[in-house]
Amino acid sequence: MSFKVGIVGCGTVGSGVVKLLLENGPFIEKRIGRKVEIAFVSDLNPEKVISLGVPKEKVYTDAFKAIKEVECDTVVELIGGTTTAKRIIEEALSNKRHVVTANKALLADYGNELFKMAKEKGVSLKFEASVGGGIPVIKALREGLVGNRIERIYGIINGTANFILTQMTQKGLSFEEALKLAQENGYAEADPTLDVEGFDAAHKIAILSSLAFCRWVKTENVFVDGISKLTPLDIEIAKEEFGYSVKLLAVAKEVDGSLEVRVHPTMIPEEHILSSVNGVFNACLIEGDFVGETLYYGKGAGQKPTASAVVSDIVDLAVGNSFSIPECLFRDGSLPIKEPDQFVSSFYLRFTAVDRPGVLAKIALILGKYQISIKMALQRSIDFNGGVPVVMTTHPAKKRDIDLAVKEIDQLDVILKPTFVCMIEEL
């Protein structure tokens, strides 16, 4: 008996799923011993769906009608957003259909209730494509590493931001120039806020954290900072003076009995393998207590990689691998979320100051007031926003103390612009 699939949304990823199932269907059947068949495709542009080779009688414009009337085993939601998509998934679950989705924003915000509904209806909600595109990082956490206590996750999980930082690093482009190049190449949206300010990565690390640390993590629990304030000078100094590269890093780790979940530009050692992840590629480093460090690398977005991940979920369901949803995801759990002001890290501080004697002493005095120890300090004799850049790195300090010190330093008459702060992760 064939396994029947209904697809809702035939945009970039939906089209990729349709193409993969049509082109590789015989190969999939040979591999798993069961035919995977498209039961329906719902999209507001039926001509586009038909042009892909889907028979006209299987094309619908009303997804809710298709879910109710067409016999199928699973519904694949690929329209995105958190309103209509949520209703579609709820409709499918109500009709006791398995659901596959790539919708990280929806899962990060409403996954708790959707997983609960799936459990009540006795069906599965699968989401491999929600994080990392074609990289099987969800499957690794829920299956391959299931016997491990996960200790930390470091992810470069937004290709747009990584492309921009790569251009800034390799070509010395400004953030604005690199963003324009990303948009011209189709890697960034007209409104790139979700990507460059870290919110897309926050959705993804919330999902990974929930699976890894066995408690529900909401997007609002994630500390988020973006890359738009970075300059080529910061990247140059990080590399030449301190031996660091700069990445938009998603971090989740247990520290002293609490969970840190954060996304922000981060300086990491140049020799670390994550420093070599460039362009639109993604990578996720997951460390377990028994397995040690494992690394997952590949294209984190795009039609084909994401379609590949969606179909992997479909095939799992077709062969009877219906992932049991952990009970721990339905409650907050005992592991508290650490407040951002309690994060402990080394920091990179870039001050824009007037070029006169005594500036370093004034800054150092305030840092000392908050028990912040300076590791290295330097000043570049160049014009920078009407002043000169004064750069320091610190020994480990609480973010709360850094924030208080920087607030006070920025009120000095020798400081011309708000101070740029970047965390350092030694990995």
Side-chain angles (χ1 to χ4, degrees), residues 51-354:
S51 72
L52 295 173
V54 178
K56 186 176 181 179
E57 64 272 15
K58 292 186 176 184
V59 180
Y60 286 73
T61 56
D62 186 336
F64 296 96
K65 178 181 174 67
I67 291 168
K68 288 178 181 177
E69 296 182 359
V70 181
E71 180 187 351
C72 68
D73 298 289
T74 190
V75 173
V76 180
E77 179 277 309
L78 296 171
I79 66 170
T82 58
T83 52
T84 304
K86 182 171 182 283
R87 290 175 53 226
I88 286 168
I89 290 176
E90 288 170 338
E91 182 68 28
L93 296 175
S94 294
N95 284 273
K96 296 188 177 182
R97 311 286 173 78
H98 298 300
V99 171
V100 174
T101 182
N103 197 328
K104 66 255 182 190
L106 179 63
L107 290 175
D109 290 344
Y110 301 106
N112 198 357
E113 61 183 85
L114 293 175
F115 287 130
K116 188 179 297 185
M117 185 177 181
K119 185 176 179 64
E120 290 170 353
K121 297 296 182 179
V123 293
S124 290
L125 171 57
K126 297 176 77 71
F127 50 100
E128 183 63 58
S130 65
V131 180
I135 307 170
V137 63
I138 300 291
K139 193 177 290 284
L141 277 172
R142 76 186 194 201
E143 296 178 14
L145 303 179
V146 71
N148 287 256
R149 288 180 61 90
I150 302 302
E151 296 177 342
R152 58 179 184 159
I153 299 173
Y154 293 119
I156 298 171
I157 49 180
N158 182 272
T160 300
N162 202 45
F163 176 85
I164 289 170
L165 290 175
T166 300
Q167 298 303 308
M168 293 176 71
T169 301
Q170 296 180 352
K171 299 180 181 179
L173 301 183
S174 68
F175 168 78
E176 292 77 15
E177 290 169 335
L179 171 59
K180 183 179 178 183
L181 186 61
Q183 290 170 327
E184 289 172 351
N185 282 275
Y187 299 141
E189 303 289 342
D191 179 0
T193 304
L194 267 178
D195 294 315
V196 302
E197 297 304 338
F199 299 113
D200 173 78
H203 292 145
K204 295 171 181 176
I205 196 65
I207 293 169
L208 294 179
S209 301
S210 296
L211 288 173
F213 297 98
C214 217
R215 62 148 296 157
W216 189 252
V217 178
K218 302 176 183 177
T219 310
E220 63 195 48
N221 299 135
V222 183
F223 169 77
V224 185
D225 192 18
I227 63 172
S228 58
K229 296 185 288 292
L230 265 170
T231 70
L233 179 67
D234 297 313
I235 292 173
E236 177 189 324
I237 290 176
K239 180 178 181 179
E240 294 183 359
E241 303 291 345
F242 306 132
Y244 295 127
S245 64
V246 184
K247 298 293 183 182
L248 181 67
L249 198 67
V251 178
K253 59 182 178 179
E254 186 176 348
V255 180
D256 300 327
S258 61
L259 180 60
E260 290 186 17
V261 193
R262 44 190 169 90
V263 173
H264 47 80
T266 311
M267 294 186 179
I268 62 177
E270 266 200 301
E271 65 271 15
H272 194 275
I273 192 168
L274 288 178
S275 289
S276 65
V277 179
N278 292 317
V280 295
F281 280 82
N282 282 198
C284 198
L285 184 152
I286 303 175
E287 183 175 348
D289 60 347
F290 271 67
V291 74
E293 290 187 351
T294 60
L295 184 71
Y296 308 87
Y297 171 85
K299 288 187 177 179
Q303 184 184 70
K304 290 184 176 181
T306 310
S308 173
V310 169
V311 171
S312 77
D313 277 342
I314 294 171
V315 169
D316 264 359
L317 292 167
V319 299
N321 184 6
S322 53
F323 167 53
S324 178
I325 301 160
E327 288 286 342
C328 59
L329 293 186
F330 305 142
R331 56 183 183 270
D332 286 339
S334 58
L335 192 64
I337 304 286
K338 183 175 286 190
E339 293 296 325
D341 64 359
Q342 297 300 306
F343 295 161
V344 175
S345 174
S346 298
F347 288 84
Y348 165 97
L349 309 173
R350 187 246 301 146
F351 309 96
T352 305
V354 297

